[in-house]
């Protein structure tokens, strides 16, 4: 474990550049520690389409078998599908081999508990203690279990969960023209089946060849989805969808090929969900205030958490939220399907809402209150964080303050949020305002106060 100190550990698992410090040996050791922690029994393993996936998959199998676990290999599947299957089949836990939106040279192990949820802080701490102390279980020859495969069951289960909450026949009757950019990722083939065969759409798809990851920058943002925008326009589609490599994030383009801001995507899905079942909404601190406006329309409360899916889910469970998510990264969390980000729930809700209202995506989007947002990041030196935060507070004396995740300053006409990254030595910066001029003013004040130069993200 000589390289253990180089592992980048976040709320979801471990990640890194393959071959530099995320090696088969490390993956095997971590999987054996995972198997030791969750106990002997079934552990679900799936992956995305990266070239390093099969190599790490074999290493993970070895580690789990060495700990006495039975491995249920589900093959190439989206992360939410693996999570749902883990929780529904009474497995002891699950591992998804995917680096999500990170570049191709990265990979990661995302770890789930018996409910298919990301580990909480206590669970993660216990597991890491086992890993760092090499206090792993070594199965005897008689205790070594087997690897079994179930490549089709998880998708069927996932579809059934989603389809309970939309009017499938209403969607099929509209015969929507849909564009899809699957980034040749884990969800690409499953999404073709979902949209074309299950929901009856006339589908126009690009980047759905799982043998050729990734033809664009993996993170689905407006500046990375030019091919999707062009496809929508060329084929006169009603809507365009794009996923990240592990299928938990969703981006949406309207019928003109305009890619919506991820915060607005989340707001529109929240609006559709609250029409069906009003209840509390939970989002992270960097998610747009447009969510608060939508919640007020429905007379429900909004709760905000530190950034990170596990943080959002923990609060959603505590307040029995109707829906939640993280707008800044295109994550939609709908508890009746699963307590995890899920692009399939988002796609189904968009199509059902369009079928119900008869409105185009641009019309639905145009009904949202308008905000201007900007995200960035800057390097910082450890030891300077306290003075930086104090300087920011002093720059905005009338602002309401939230210190639960870095510092968020809330003003009548906007907000700023500054926090240290969980995975990199950088500060994450976010700002939002009701006008572009005010946004520029807020953001530049942050940069000037910190005496830093920013790298836009």
């Amino acid at each position: 474990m000589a390289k253990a100190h180089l592992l980048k550990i976040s709320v979801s698992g471990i990640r890194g550049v393959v071959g530099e410090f995320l090696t088969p040996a490390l993956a095997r050791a971590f999987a054996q520690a995972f198997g030791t922690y969750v106990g002997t029994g079934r552990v679900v393993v799936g992956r995305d389409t990266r070239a390093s996936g099969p190599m790490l998959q074999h290493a993970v199998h070895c580690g789990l078998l060495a700990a006495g676990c039975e491995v249920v290999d589900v093959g190439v599947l989206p992360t939410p599908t693996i999570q749902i299957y883990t929780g529904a089949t009474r497995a002891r836990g699950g591992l998804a081999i995917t680096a999500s939106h990170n570049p191709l040279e990265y990979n990661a192990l995302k770890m789930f508990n018996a409910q298919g949820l990301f580990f909480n802080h206590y669970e993660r701490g216990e597991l890491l203690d086992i890993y760092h102390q090499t206090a792993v279980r070594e199965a005897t020859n008689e205790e070594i279990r087997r690897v079994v495969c179930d490549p089709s069951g998880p998708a069927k289960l996932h579809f059934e969960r989603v389809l309970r909450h939309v009017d499938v026949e209403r969607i099929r009757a509209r015969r929507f023209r849909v564009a899809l950019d699957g980034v040749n990722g884990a969800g690409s083939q499953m999404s073709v089946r979902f949209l074309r065969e299950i929901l009856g759409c006339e589908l126009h798809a690009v980047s759905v060849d799982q043998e050729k990851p990734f033809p664009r920058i993996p993170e689905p943002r407006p500046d990375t989805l030019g091919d999707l925008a062009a496809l929508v326009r060329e084929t006169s589609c009603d809507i365009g969808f794009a996923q990240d490599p592990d299928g938990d994030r969703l981006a949406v383009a309207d019928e003109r090929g305009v890619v919506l801001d991820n915060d607005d995507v989340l707001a529109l899905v929240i609006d559709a969900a609250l029409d069906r079942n009003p209840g509390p909404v939970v989002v992270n601190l960097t998610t747009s205030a447009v969510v608060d406006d939508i919640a007020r329309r429905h007379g429900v409360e909004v709760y905000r958490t530190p950034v990170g899916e596990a943080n959002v889910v923990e609060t959603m469970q505590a307040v029995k939220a109707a829906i939640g998510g993280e707008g800044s990264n295109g994550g939609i969390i709908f508890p009746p399907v699963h307590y995890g980000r899920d692009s399939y729930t988002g796609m189904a809700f968009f199509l059902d809402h369009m079928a119900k209202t008869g409105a185009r995506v641009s019309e639905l989007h145009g009904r949202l209150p308008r905000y201007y947002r900007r995200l960035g990041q800057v390097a910082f030196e450890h030891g300077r964080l306290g003075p930086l935060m104090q300087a920011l507070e002093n720059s905005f004396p009338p602002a309401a303050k939230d210190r639960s995740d870095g510092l968020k300053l809330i003003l009548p006409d906007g907000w700023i949020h500054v926090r240290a990254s969980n995975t990199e030595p950088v500060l994450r910066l976010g700002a939002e305002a009701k006008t572009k001029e005010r946004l520029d003013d807020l953001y530049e004040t942050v940069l000037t106060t910190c005496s830093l130069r920013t790298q836009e993200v």
Side-chain angles (χ1 to χ4, degrees), residues 311-365:
N311 299 319
V312 174
V313 166
E314 185 175 356
T315 300
M316 289 182 71
Q317 292 175 309
V319 303
K320 296 180 171 55
I323 192 168
E326 297 189 285
S328 54
N329 61 32
I332 297 159
I333 304 172
F334 184 58
V337 173
H338 181 66
Y339 276 108
R341 294 183 302 202
D342 179 22
S343 62
Y344 295 88
T345 296
M347 288 189 281
F349 270 40
F350 256 95
L351 294 173
D352 192 42
H353 202 52
M354 291 165 63
K356 177 182 177 181
T357 62
R360 296 180 175 183
V361 177
S362 62
E363 294 170 334
L364 295 172
H365 186 221

Side-chain angles (χ1 to χ4, degrees), residues 15 20 62 66 85 100 108 160 249 293-294 310 321 362 398:
R15 72 175 181 93
E20 290 188 13
C62 288
Y85 185 76
S100 188
E160 289 173 350
R249 300 185 182 204
D293 296 326
I294 293 296
S362 62

Side-chain angles (χ1 to χ4, degrees), residues 209-220:
D209 182 351
Q210 295 185 333
E211 299 298 319
K212 300 177 181 178
F214 304 124
R216 60 163 165 83
I217 294 173
E219 188 171 2

